[in-house]
């Protein structure tokens, strides 16, 4: 904003503007260019060039426009060349389908179905009981699952991901635009997609009761969460990779579940006889025979999760606020922490495994070109500060040597400390020194630098969300190249893949900042309508010019910046303002959890 008293406002308003007009001008948001380091300590305001009015402020539309521009994710409409590429890619599978609306009228909608030629050479899973679990409001369904009990007591698990790379040719206009955007941006009231709607919501989205093209990873595992076949030892014991199949498939999802419905199945609120299920928990239109599959997958997933944390994985996830909006899509009528249930954790475990298996395949077959996602250890100085505070205030030792020792320390703190607020604050404080995970080309870093600190595994990648993440598209192409044994002919070399990975890292962080700014806008609107007279705030850290406050009631953390200056009358002022370039509560693990999509609450069930 342009504060009252600055040169721009003074010059525009000095002749005939009254006080109200000057105040109105001061509420305008401006965009300007600033050279870092050019702000003199003798100047009250920074020197800027190319100053232009952007929009107003204090309303959702303008604030949303501003946060998109500020973070470089104001992508605008898709260019005509991109839309032509998309139309060409989906044209052969299009057809008109008749759907009945709620009032009984017949409506013609554009549907999509793969042709016989598209299905040729793919493994056919259309007769398998495949289903999806997603937020209620999700429109881009990019992952589906199946489970099949085996005669030897094990289970076959299938993770089926939308085959986006089938529709996007490398180097095409739509491919270049997807790389430029790099990620879908999820705001509270809007979605800025990486791909045009005919792809992300129609042809690629794994909607129920329609045939779709997929890229699948299928493996076998034991009910206790282990991967190797029991009863086989020594030389005859099969290697884990021998039990994994990668390839392109054609599927037909039989059910779309949301997390609340899946949780009701897990909790037994939907009984064994699903055909007589209470419609309060599971409407008749959503009662396919997948309940037993959900329960079986949950059993295996929870066993796998226990093994994973036993092997040193770290759980240090930030709280995400969710909003329920009025019909105007601008007024928040409910704000609450996004609930993470076992149904979210079920999805997380299988997505983590699929990504790990794909990373393994890329390393052994694509070598230096393998696009991985590493996670460096946290900042030592920041971690030591938390360790010191914990020791001084609680006489409690936190071991930050590794993710395993850190997780063990947090588990012990939860058992030994009776004050839940203390545990909450220590956990929040430990998130600040965490570094973000990043995309890399394997050949550009030493092997030990591939390691993922939070997951405590030697390598990892992203394969499971190509509709909303461009790195996954590259991973799909690389995986197919390893299957076709033509990695040497891959259109991008190691350096080009690493460069694209760096761009995706930047855009991912920009999208995260935009999303968190959107949360701040709607939280402000909610608190304006539902004011809290006073509440507890805990100061977690104090820097030279900044301090961090955690508000337990809102499960919200904010970093504030202090600036002191002397006005023209010689009066000293201290201004406290949110530090907008900070990303508090950086989620350190990764995003293949239930935290997918924009977090709107539909009714009173999570989305």
């Amino acid at each position: 904003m342009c504060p009252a008293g600055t040169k721009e406002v003074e010059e525009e308003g000095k002749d005939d503007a009254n006080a109200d007009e000057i105040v109105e001008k001061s509420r305008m948001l401006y965009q300007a260019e600033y050279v870092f380091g050019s702000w003199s300590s003798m100047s009250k305001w920074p020197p800027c060039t190319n100053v232009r009015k952007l929009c107003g402020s204090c309303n959702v539309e303008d604030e949303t426009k501003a946060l998109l521009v500020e973070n470089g994710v104001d992508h605008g409409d898709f260019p005509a060349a991109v839309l032509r590429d998309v139309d060409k890619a989906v044209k052969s599978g299009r057809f008109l389908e008749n759907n009945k609306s709620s009032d009984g009228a017949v409506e013609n909608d554009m549907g999509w179905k793969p042709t016989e030629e598209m299905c040729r050479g793919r493994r056919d899973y259309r007769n398998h009981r495949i289903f999806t679990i997603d937020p209620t409001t999700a429109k881009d369904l990019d992952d589906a699952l199946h489970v099949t009990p085996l005669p030897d007591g094990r289970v076959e698990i299938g993770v089926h991901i939308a085959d986006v790379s089938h529709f996007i040719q490398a180097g095409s206009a739509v491919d270049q635009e997807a790389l430029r955007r790099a990620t879908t941006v999820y705001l509270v009231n809007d979605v800025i997609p990486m791909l045009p709607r005919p792809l992300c919501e129609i042809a690629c989205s794994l909607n129920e009761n329609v045939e779709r093209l997929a890229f699948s990873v299928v493996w076998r595992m034991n009910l206790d969460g282990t991967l190797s076949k029991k009863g086989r030892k020594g030389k005859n014991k099969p290697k884990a990779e021998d039990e994994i199949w990668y390839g392109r498939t054609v599927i037909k999802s039989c059910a779309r579940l949301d997390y609340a419905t899946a949780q009701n199945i897990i909790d037994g609120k939907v009984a064994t006889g699903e055909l007589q299920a209470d419609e309060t928990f599971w409407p008749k239109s959503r009662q396919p025979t997948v309940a037993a599959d959900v329960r079986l997958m949950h059993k295996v997933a929870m066993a796998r999760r226990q093994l994973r944390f036993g092997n040193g994985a770290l759980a240090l996830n930030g709280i995400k606020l969710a909003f329920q909006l009025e019909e105007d899509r601008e007024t928040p009528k409910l704000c609450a922490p996004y609930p993470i249930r076992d149904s979210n954790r079920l999805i997380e475990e299988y997505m983590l495994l699929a990504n790990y298996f794909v990373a393994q395949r890329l390393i052994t077959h694509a070598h230096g070109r393998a696009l991985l996602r590493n996670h460096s250890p946290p900042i030592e100085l920041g971690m030591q500060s938390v360790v010191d505070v914990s020791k001084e205030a609680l006489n409690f030792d936190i071991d930050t040597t590794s993710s395993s020792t850190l997780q063990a320390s947090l588990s012990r703190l939860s058992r030994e400390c009776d004050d839940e607020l203390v545990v909450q604050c220590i956990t929040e404080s430990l998130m600040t020194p965490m570094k973000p995970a990043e995309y890399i080309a394997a050949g550009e870093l030493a092997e030990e630098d591939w390691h993922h600190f939070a997951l405590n595994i030697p390598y990892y990648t992203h394969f499971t969300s190509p509709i909303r993440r461009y790195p996954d598209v590259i991973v799909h192409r690389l995986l197919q190249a390893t299957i076709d044994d033509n990695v040497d002919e891959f259109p991008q070399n190691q350096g080009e893949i690493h460069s694209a990975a760096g761009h995706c890292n930047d855009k991912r962080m920009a999208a995260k900042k935009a999303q968190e700014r959107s949360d701040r806008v709607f939280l402000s609107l909610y608190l304006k309508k539902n004011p809290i007279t006073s509440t507890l705030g805990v100061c977690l850290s104090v820097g030279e010019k900044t301090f961090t406050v955690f508000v337990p009631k809102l499960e919200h953390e904010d970093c504030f910046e202090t600036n002191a200056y002397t006005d023209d009358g010689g009066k000293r002022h201290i201004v406290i303002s949110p530090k907008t370039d900070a990303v508090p509560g950086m989620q350190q693990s990764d995003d293949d959890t239930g935290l997918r999509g924009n977090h709107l609450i539909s009714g009173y069930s999570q989305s």
Side-chain angles (χ1 to χ4, degrees):
M1 296 180 68
C2 191
T6 58
K7 184 177 179 181
E8 195 277 339
V9 172
E10 287 175 346
E11 289 187 350
E12 285 193 7
K14 65 182 180 181
D15 293 330
D16 54 4
N18 58 34
D20 290 339
E21 289 174 332
I22 292 176
V23 170
E24 186 63 29
K25 290 176 189 291
S26 73
R27 290 177 178 169
M28 291 296 296
L29 295 175
Y30 291 75
Q31 185 177 18
E33 296 177 9
Y34 164 70
V35 178
F36 182 78
S38 62
W39 190 353
S40 169
S41 59
M42 303 300 292
S43 301
K44 184 177 179 179
W45 307 110
C48 296
T49 58
N50 296 330
V51 180
R52 67 180 182 89
K53 289 182 181 179
L54 182 63
C55 56
S57 64
C58 303
N59 66 81
V60 171
E61 182 180 356
D62 286 337
E63 293 285 351
T64 299
K65 179 179 180 180
L67 68 88
L68 292 174
V69 171
E70 179 184 14
N71 292 288
V73 291
D74 184 29
H75 299 310
D77 296 332
F78 286 97
V82 171
L83 298 178
R84 285 195 297 270
D85 272 0
V86 171
D87 185 67
K88 183 179 179 181
V90 303
K91 187 175 181 180
S92 60
R94 279 180 166 169
F95 67 93
L96 284 176
E97 56 182 353
N98 296 328
N99 293 319
K100 283 190 176 181
S101 62
S102 57
D103 59 3
V106 177
E107 298 177 347
N108 291 325
D109 293 329
M110 184 65 71
W112 190 89
K113 180 180 179 179
T115 63
E116 289 186 13
E117 182 180 352
M118 294 178 189
C119 297
R120 194 171 296 123
R122 292 174 177 264
R123 185 178 283 193
D124 193 342
Y125 277 95
R126 283 174 287 192
N127 292 324
H128 279 63
R129 195 159 57 237
I130 293 173
F131 58 93
T132 61
I133 304 177
D134 284 280
T136 306
T137 56
K139 295 180 180 180
D140 49 352
L141 314 184
D142 48 17
D143 58 85
L145 302 161
H146 87 256
V147 60
T148 304
L150 301 174
D152 62 3
R154 296 186 297 165
V155 291
E156 177 186 270
I157 300 292
V159 170
H160 308 278
I161 307 301
D163 190 3
V164 173
S165 61
H166 169 83
F167 299 93
I168 302 179
Q169 298 301 311
S172 63
V174 66
D175 182 50
Q176 293 174 12
E177 180 67 12
L179 172 58
R180 185 180 75 85
R181 297 184 178 216
T183 182
T184 292
V185 183
Y186 293 98
L187 308 179
V188 172
N189 63 331
D190 200 6
V191 176
I192 315 299
M194 184 183 80
L195 297 173
R197 183 177 176 273
L199 284 182
C200 65
E201 294 182 16
I202 303 176
C204 293
S205 186
L206 305 183
N207 302 325
E208 73 274 26
N209 300 319
V210 292
E211 296 178 6
R212 289 292 183 263
L213 303 179
F215 212 139
S216 305
V217 181
V218 182
W219 69 90
R220 298 180 175 189
M221 60 191 301
N222 301 306
L223 295 181
D224 63 3
T226 56
L227 297 172
S228 60
K229 187 172 181 180
K230 292 187 174 181
R232 299 278 294 276
K233 297 181 179 180
K235 294 181 179 179
N236 294 325
K237 183 178 179 180
K239 296 180 180 179
E241 57 264 31
D242 295 334
E243 299 283 299
I244 306 167
W245 180 83
Y246 311 86
R248 282 179 154 151
T249 56
V250 55
I251 69 170
K252 186 176 183 179
S253 170
C254 70
R256 173 182 174 172
L257 306 179
D258 57 38
Y259 286 118
T261 300
Q263 190 62 45
N264 285 332
I265 295 173
I266 292 168
D267 292 341
K269 294 179 181 178
V270 175
T272 304
E274 281 78 33
L275 294 179
Q276 288 77 43
D278 185 344
E279 283 202 63
T280 303
F281 299 117
W282 200 357
K284 281 186 178 180
S285 62
R286 304 176 70 181
Q287 293 181 16
T289 56
V290 298
D293 291 349
V294 171
R295 295 187 187 109
L296 177 57
M297 294 197 84
H298 172 255
K299 177 182 178 180
V300 178
M302 292 305 101
R304 181 68 192 175
R305 186 177 181 84
Q306 186 174 357
L307 284 175
R308 192 162 61 82
F309 284 104
N311 289 330
L314 175 64
L316 201 64
N317 295 328
I319 300 298
K320 173 69 179 177
L321 291 177
F323 297 85
Q324 181 184 4
L325 302 181
E326 301 282 4
E327 291 184 4
D328 63 4
R329 303 286 296 173
E330 292 189 352
T331 307
K333 63 179 178 180
L334 182 63
C335 172
Y338 181 82
I340 299 297
R341 305 177 170 96
D342 274 358
S343 54
N344 300 81
R345 298 184 182 101
L346 180 158
I347 293 295
E348 177 183 16
E349 293 305 316
Y350 295 114
M351 297 303 112
L352 289 174
L353 266 176
N355 286 330
Y356 176 74
F357 290 147
V358 171
Q360 182 174 266
R361 172 82 184 191
L362 295 187
I363 288 170
T364 57
H365 291 72
H367 310 294
R369 280 186 171 94
L371 193 154
L372 304 179
R373 185 162 175 80
N374 74 342
H375 184 218
S376 301
I379 301 168
E380 290 186 17
L381 184 60
M383 295 296 280
Q384 189 58 48
S385 297
V386 182
V387 170
D388 293 343
V389 169
S390 174
K391 182 64 176 177
E392 181 179 348
L394 307 173
N395 194 29
F396 184 86
D397 293 313
I398 298 178
D399 187 348
T400 60
T401 306
S402 66
S403 58
S404 179
T405 60
L406 181 55
Q407 181 64 44
S409 295
L410 288 173
S411 298
R412 185 165 59 87
L413 178 63
S414 298
R415 293 192 304 269
E416 297 179 4
C417 183
D418 297 329
D419 192 335
E420 185 179 339
L421 177 59
V422 171
V423 177
Q424 209 173 4
C425 290
I426 291 292
T427 303
E428 287 288 329
S429 298
L430 287 168
M431 293 177 65
T432 303
M434 289 291 167
K435 296 178 181 178
E438 294 185 323
Y439 298 109
I440 61 166
E444 296 292 314
L445 276 73
E447 185 172 337
E448 56 267 25
D449 292 329
W450 301 346
H451 186 264
H452 197 293
F453 176 81
L455 297 177
N456 197 31
I457 51 179
Y459 41 77
Y460 188 65
T461 194
H462 272 170
F463 162 79
T464 51
S465 294
I467 292 178
R468 62 185 178 93
R469 294 188 307 227
Y470 188 78
D472 301 50
V473 177
I474 297 178
V475 167
H476 279 223
R477 290 171 178 160
L478 278 169
L479 182 58
Q480 186 60 47
T482 70
I483 295 169
D484 295 338
D485 194 23
N486 61 0
V487 172
D488 291 340
E489 301 170 20
F490 196 74
Q492 292 169 287
N493 61 35
Q494 177 182 300
E496 290 169 333
I497 290 174
H498 192 66
S499 176
H503 169 75
C504 292
N505 291 331
D506 293 340
K507 284 299 182 182
R508 182 181 178 81
M509 184 57 66
K512 185 175 182 65
K513 289 181 179 180
Q515 290 162 201
E516 293 190 346
R517 177 63 185 172
S518 179
D519 285 352
R520 186 192 298 275
V521 168
F522 281 87
L523 177 60
S524 300
L525 290 172
Y526 177 77
L527 292 176
K528 182 178 180 181
K529 185 179 178 182
N530 305 275
I532 299 174
T533 306
S534 64
T535 190
L536 174 67
V538 181
C539 185
L540 298 182
S541 63
V542 179
E544 185 178 345
K545 287 189 175 183
T546 62
F547 61 95
T548 302
V549 176
F550 174 60
V551 183
K553 184 173 182 179
L554 298 173
E555 299 196 57
H556 181 71
E557 179 184 320
D558 242 326
C559 185
F560 293 89
E561 192 168 25
T562 61
N563 286 293
Y565 71 94
T566 303
D567 63 21
D568 296 337
K571 196 172 182 179
R572 190 73 170 163
H573 298 268
I574 297 179
V575 179
I576 299 176
S577 57
K579 195 171 187 298
T580 57
D581 61 340
V583 186
M586 181 83 64
Q587 190 176 334
Q588 93 301 333
S589 60
D590 235 303
D591 67 348
D592 279 311
T593 67
L595 292 172
R596 298 183 297 171
N598 51 337
H599 305 297
L600 291 176
I601 301 175
S602 177
Y604 283 94
S605 62
Q606 57 76 242
S607 61

